[in-house]
Amino acid sequence: MDFDGFYRDTSRRLLRYAYGLTGDPGEAQDLVQEAYARAWQRRRRLAGYDDPEAWLRLVVNRLSADRWRRLGIRRARAAAEPPPTPVAAPSEDVVLLVRAMRELPDKQRRALALHYLLDRSIAEIAVETGASLGTVKSWLSRGRAALAVSLGSLEGARRVH
């Protein structure tokens, strides 16, 4: 079987069929792509079928049914679970800290986050970043200094208002 020719002759019809099953063009394309991938793996066996296109439609049909089944299971699970607890809005201090952290160079911000938020030691940060201990200490020191300046100026601005 000339698989390229088979694909050219059948792909548009199969896509229309998949679209009719799903009602979603993107999902239809995914189903057709998967069906042709499976057909390619079985191309020698498929060449012996009386109607290989019918086999493709069967594959698309089963893939579509599986999709609907998975969606139903997901919806049932979601309905059975209690709604997530609301998360409190961040405090003004957290917002200011995050804003100040964004102003830092990436390496300093990463070192500070690893050290203070994930409790990593200087040695662990050095291993993870591939930097020397002295470099990590420098990033932490410079990052803390920049944060102190940034947060200090913000604190001063807050007192003025």
Side-chain angles (χ1 to χ4, degrees):
M1 169 197 317
D2 172 30
F3 196 84
D4 290 340
F6 174 67
Y7 175 80
R8 279 192 302 275
D9 293 344
T10 59
S11 61
R12 287 192 178 123
R13 281 191 303 272
L14 191 62
L15 184 59
R16 281 195 305 270
Y17 177 68
Y19 179 65
L21 292 176
T22 64
D24 180 322
E27 184 68 27
Q29 288 174 344
D30 288 347
L31 294 177
V32 168
Q33 180 179 356
E34 179 62 25
Y36 278 107
R38 292 179 183 193
W40 175 257
Q41 293 171 342
R42 295 165 182 82
R43 63 189 176 279
R44 288 183 181 77
R45 194 173 338 142
L46 202 58
Y49 290 174
D50 290 335
D51 189 357
E53 189 175 352
W55 183 86
L56 280 172
R57 287 191 300 272
L58 179 64
V59 170
V60 165
N61 194 55
R62 288 178 178 166
L63 291 169
S64 177
D66 288 347
R67 172 185 171 264
W68 285 109
R69 195 173 303 117
R70 281 191 308 274
L71 285 174
I73 290 169
R74 256 189 244 139
R75 284 188 185 133
R77 284 183 185 158
E81 292 179 12
T85 55
V87 176
S91 69
E92 185 178 355
D93 290 340
V94 170
V95 171
L96 293 174
L97 177 60
V98 168
R99 185 181 300 153
M101 291 277 290
R102 285 183 183 151
E103 301 299 319
L104 296 176
D106 290 341
K107 292 179 180 179
Q108 291 175 16
R109 182 173 55 245
R110 183 177 180 197
L112 288 168
L114 287 169
H115 191 64
Y116 291 105
L117 300 178
L118 299 181
D119 294 323
R120 296 291 191 266
S121 69
I122 292 171
E124 290 170 325
I125 297 169
V127 169
E128 185 168 331
T129 61
S132 70
L133 292 173
T135 300
V136 172
K137 289 177 185 178
S138 172
W139 290 339
L140 289 170
S141 175
R142 290 177 183 173
R144 283 190 296 262
L147 282 178
V149 168
S150 179
L151 293 173
S153 66
L154 290 172
E155 186 61 33
R158 282 174 50 185
R159 277 192 225 121
V160 171
H161 290 107

